[in-house]
C-alpha cells in the first residue's frame, strides 16, 4: 500500500509517498480502507519538527473509511461499515483510561505525532477507537472534524463547563478548532463572539452561528468583546498565543476563564500575577480529549 511518510523534518518537500506492507490485525483490531484523510495544523508542526518524534513516521491524525476486515473477537463492527477514526490511541488497561481521563496519561498517543498516522491506503485500529460515520456527512467532512471537534469539546464542556447564556470569545474563527468551537458553543446555548481577519472569514463565522464577529484588523478585539458582552466575557477560547493574549486578558471579566490548547502565533506571553489573583481569573490548559468526549461530539 501507499502512505504519506516523513524520514526527516523540513518543508513540504520532505513528504514522501512510500510503498509499505499493509498492517496486520491483532486482537480487537479492524482494518480500514481510507476514503479521506485530513490535514491539521498539527501535521505541519510535526513535519517541520517537534522534539521527540520518532522517524520515519506516517503522517495524519484524522481519517474516515470503510472496514475491510475485522479480528475474530470484534463484535461491534463488521466489514462494510463506514467509520471515523479517533485521532488518538491508548492502552485500555491504563488506569486513566478507566477513569475517563486518558489524555492526562503519559501513554496517550496522538496519531501522526506519537505513533504512525492515518494518511495511508489502509490503517489498522483498535475497535475501541473508531465510530460509525453519520450518514448526513460525506467522507471529506467525516475526516475533517475529529481532532478539532474533540479538542474544542473537551475545552468547552470538560474543562470550563460552558453554560447557556454565558459569553464566550473565540479567536481564529475560521480555523479548524475555532470553527468547531463556534458550533459547539452555540449548541450549548452560549453567546458567541468570534474574532477573525477578513470579510470572507467574518461571513463564515456568521454562517457557523456566531452572534457577533470582530475583524481584529479593523477594531480592538478585547475592547469590542467587553462592550458587546457588557463588561467582559465569561470564557476566552485561546489557541493562537502571543498575538491574541493581551486582547484575551482585556476581554475577560472578573472571575472569567481563559482555556487554551495552542500557541500558533508564539508562546512567550506576559502575565501580571496581581491582576490574576485580584480579578480571580483562571487560565486553563487543554490538549485533545477523551474517548467519551469523542463519542459525544460525534453525536453532535
Amino acid at each position: 500500500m501507499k502512505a504519506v511518510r516523513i524520514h526527516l523534518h523540513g518543508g513540504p518537500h520532505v513528504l514522501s509517498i512510500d510503498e509499505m506492507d499493509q498492517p496486520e490485525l491483532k486482537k480487537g483490531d479492524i482494518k480500514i480502507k481510507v476514503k479521506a484523510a485530513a490535514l491539521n495544523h498539527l501535521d505541519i508542526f510535526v513535519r517541520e519538527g517537534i522534539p521527540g518524534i520518532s522517524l520515519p513516521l506516517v503522517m495524519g491524525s484524522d481519517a474516515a473509511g470503510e472496514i475491510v476486515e475485522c479480528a475474530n473477537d470484534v463484535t461491534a463492527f463488521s466489514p462494510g461499515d463506514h467509520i471515523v477514526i479517533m485521532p488518538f490511541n491508548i492502552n485500555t488497561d491504563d488506569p486513566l483510561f478507566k477513569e475517563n481521563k486518558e489524555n492526562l496519561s503519559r501513554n496517550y498517543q496522538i496519531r501522526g505525532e506519537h505513533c504512525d498516522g492515518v494518511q495511508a491506503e489502509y490503517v489498522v485500529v483498535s475497535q475501541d477507537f473508531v465510530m460509525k460515520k453519520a450518514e448526513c456527512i460525506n467522507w471529506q467532512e467525516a475526516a475533517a472534524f475529529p481532532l478539532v471537534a474533540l479538542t474544542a469539546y473537551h475545552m468547552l464542556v470538560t474543562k470550563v463547563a460552558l453554560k447557556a447564556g454565558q459569553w464566550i470569545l473565540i479567536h481564529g474563527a475560521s480555523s479548524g478548532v475555532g470553527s468547531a468551537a463556534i458550533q459547539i458553543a452555540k449548541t450549548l446555548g452560549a453567546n458567541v463572539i468570534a474574532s477573525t481577519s477578513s470579510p470572507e472569514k467574518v461571513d463564515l463565522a456568521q454562517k457557523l452561528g456566531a452572534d457577533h464577529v470582530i475583524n481584529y484588523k479593523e477594531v480592538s478585539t478585547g475592547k469590542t468583546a467587553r462592550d458587546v458582552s457588557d463588561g467582559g466575557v465569561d470564557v476566552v477560547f485561546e489557541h493562537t498565543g502571543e498575538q491574541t493574549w493581551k486582547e484575551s486578558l482585556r476581554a475577560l471579566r472578573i472571575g472569567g476563564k481563559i482555556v487554551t490548547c495552542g500557541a500558533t502565533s508564539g508562546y512567550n506571553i506576559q502575565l501580571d500575577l496581581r491582576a490574576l489573583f485580584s480579578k480571580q481569573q483562571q487560565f486553563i490548559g487543554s490538549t485533545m480529549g477523551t474517548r467519551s468526549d469523542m463519542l459525544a461530539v460525534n453525536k453532535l
Side-chain angles (χ1 to χ4, degrees), residues 44-286:
I44 298 172
F45 288 144
V46 169
R47 190 202 71 217
E48 291 177 340
I50 295 178
I53 290 177
S54 297
L55 299 177
L57 180 74
V58 176
M59 299 292 291
S61 303
D62 283 334
E66 181 178 338
I67 296 177
V68 294
E69 187 180 357
C70 297
N72 293 333
D73 60 333
V74 172
T75 57
F77 300 93
S78 303
D81 286 348
H82 293 178
I83 58 91
V84 180
I85 300 171
M86 297 186 190
F88 63 89
N89 185 49
I90 187 172
N91 190 318
T92 55
D93 291 331
D94 190 300
L96 287 170
F97 178 85
K98 299 178 185 298
E99 295 175 20
N100 193 33
K101 298 177 181 178
E102 56 263 40
N103 61 328
L104 297 179
S105 173
R106 293 182 179 181
N107 300 314
Y108 187 88
Q109 295 181 313
I110 301 174
R111 302 189 195 281
E113 181 181 359
H114 307 119
C115 58
D116 276 339
V118 294
Q119 291 178 7
E121 289 187 276
Y122 293 91
V123 177
V124 165
V125 178
S126 166
Q127 64 178 332
D128 295 306
F129 300 107
V130 298
M131 313 169 287
K132 291 284 183 70
K133 182 181 83 67
E135 294 182 1
C136 61
I137 57 177
N138 62 33
W139 288 117
Q140 288 78 14
E141 291 165 334
F145 87 89
L147 184 144
V148 294
L150 169 65
T151 301
Y153 186 92
H154 188 73
M155 293 168 73
L156 297 179
V157 177
T158 306
K159 289 290 190 177
V160 301
L162 185 68
K163 295 177 175 59
Q166 288 188 316
W167 285 93
I168 182 170
L169 169 62
I170 298 172
H171 291 294
S174 65
S175 67
V177 73
S179 61
I182 291 172
Q183 296 171 82
I184 293 168
K186 289 308 300 178
T187 299
L188 297 171
N191 301 304
V192 174
I193 304 170
S195 174
T196 191
S197 61
S198 72
E200 294 78 16
K201 293 177 180 179
V202 168
D203 289 343
L204 173 62
Q206 290 172 337
K207 289 176 182 176
L208 292 173
D211 299 289
H212 188 94
V213 186
I214 301 167
N215 185 334
Y216 66 77
K217 291 188 175 180
E218 298 178 350
V219 296
S220 163
T221 300
K223 182 181 184 305
T224 305
R226 287 188 69 85
D227 292 343
V228 170
S229 60
D230 192 24
V233 299
D234 300 282
V235 175
V236 178
F237 185 94
E238 258 284 0
H239 56 104
T240 53
E242 272 187 54
Q243 182 179 327
T244 53
W245 187 253
K246 288 183 179 179
E247 297 303 310
S248 294
L249 293 174
R250 194 176 186 186
L252 194 64
R253 71 166 179 84
I254 294 175
K257 302 173 183 178
I258 295 179
V259 59
T260 180
C261 68
T264 53
S265 68
Y267 49 81
N268 288 315
I269 55 99
Q270 291 185 332
L271 177 63
D272 186 336
L273 284 176
R274 295 168 298 178
L276 173 65
F277 61 72
S278 65
K279 294 181 179 179
Q280 302 180 66
Q281 294 167 333
Q282 298 179 53
F283 301 156
I284 302 166
S286 185

